[in-house]
Amino acid sequence: DTAVSQTPKYLVTQMGNDKSIKCEQNLGHDTMYWYKQDSKKFLKIMFSYNNKELIINETVPNRFSPKSPDKAHLNLHINSLELGDSAVYFCASSQGGTGGRSNSPLHFGNGTRLTVT
Amino acid sequence: GNSVTQMEGPVTLSEEAFLTINCTYTATGYPSLFWYVQYPGEGLQLLLKATKADDKGSNKGFEATYRKETTSFHLEKGSVQVSDSAVYFCALQGYKLSFGAGTTVTVRA
């Protein structure tokens, strides 16, 4: 009955490879997010989707491509992985979107620790 | 633009000590304010929130009051436990949710 689940939990790969992280939420929320957390715990939003439509796309390299097949899923594909991509990636969801239209809190998954060697 | 500044850590306390983590914000309008907590190996979870000036959010013995005049939302707990060891994030809801840098708190028995 996990609310926001992401897989895999750990991902170790070599530079230049392509990898994907999957995220699913069963809360019935209409908005999903990807965040990157660096080694100093700093959180940076990468993308946000509302009803499968991309609404936030921060300054993220084109090698990162989100895909939302439906409201309950938001996957992250990363091409040509680099050492600097090593981080913990969190998926989250909320109801009502962003833009100040909602003060609904975010529900986070437990993260995917990506290590690029 | 919107931003959140919270006190740098790490913070180390003994059990039953008083905890304060300072958070100040810069924003247009009257955003909602949040505190999130991240326990080791887990994602963030909402600790408490306040949606307008003078609101007090509270949960698990933690409290924070939305102070418009000082643009602050400081987190307090009167008597911490070892289980409160975590990273605490202040956040502001504007166009997107803006997080502070996080404060690592360690409580020793």
Side-chain angles (χ1 to χ4, degrees):
Chain A
D1 61 343
T2 304
V4 181
S5 59
Q6 48 184 116
T7 55
K9 187 174 175 64
Y10 298 98
L11 187 51
V12 180
T13 188
Q14 292 184 326
M15 284 174 54
N17 284 348
D18 302 338
K19 291 293 179 184
S20 292
I21 306 172
K22 296 187 175 183
C23 179
E24 175 182 6
Q25 55 96 2
N26 63 4
L27 296 166
H29 289 163
D30 60 5
T31 306
M32 296 185 73
Y33 311 79
W34 278 110
Y35 280 84
K36 179 180 180 180
Q37 186 175 47
D38 64 22
S39 58
K40 295 183 179 179
K41 303 294 185 182
F42 185 74
L43 275 165
K44 178 180 165 61
I45 190 168
M46 302 173 70
F47 304 103
S48 174
Y49 272 75
N50 179 257
N51 284 317
K52 301 196 301 176
E53 180 185 347
L54 181 65
I55 55 172
I56 292 177
N57 184 355
E58 293 292 288
T59 307
V60 176
N62 291 337
R63 299 181 294 103
F64 291 79
S65 54
K67 284 189 172 50
S68 182
D70 55 57
K71 282 197 316 181
H73 296 84
L74 180 62
N75 304 322
L76 183 66
H77 188 75
I78 315 170
N79 289 327
S80 303
L81 278 154
E82 300 177 356
L83 291 177
D85 298 332
S86 296
V88 180
Y89 292 84
F90 286 100
C91 177
S93 71
S94 70
Q95 183 59 34
T98 58
R101 296 190 298 274
S102 168
N103 51 35
S104 171
L106 269 61
H107 294 252
F108 283 80
N110 283 336
T112 295
R113 181 173 295 277
L114 172 64
T115 303
V116 183
T117 62
Chain B
N2 295 341
S3 67
V4 175
T5 303
Q6 63 181 101
M7 66 183 277
E8 292 186 20
V11 174
T12 302
L13 302 163
S14 297
E15 257 191 327
E16 299 183 5
F18 185 86
L19 171 67
T20 299
I21 304 176
N22 290 339
C23 172
T24 57
Y25 67 89
T26 303
T28 52
Y30 304 101
S32 294
L33 299 172
F34 304 84
W35 277 100
Y36 282 82
V37 59
Q38 183 179 23
Y39 298 105
E42 298 183 9
L44 281 73
Q45 54 186 274
L46 178 70
L47 181 59
L48 53 85
K49 72 176 187 181
T51 58
K52 60 183 187 297
D54 300 324
D55 264 3
K56 178 187 281 188
S58 61
N59 186 25
K60 299 182 181 179
F62 290 89
E63 291 183 343
T65 301
Y66 190 157
R67 302 277 187 208
K68 181 166 154 276
E69 62 277 9
T70 54
T71 61
S72 64
F73 192 55
H74 305 322
L75 183 69
E76 297 181 336
K77 185 173 185 180
S79 176
V80 294
Q81 305 301 313
V82 171
S83 57
D84 293 323
S85 298
V87 183
Y88 293 82
F89 293 89
C90 187
L92 177 156
Q93 179 72 63
Y95 168 71
K96 59 187 178 184
L97 193 62
S98 299
F99 284 95
T103 302
T104 299
V105 174
T106 302
V107 181
R108 294 182 174 166

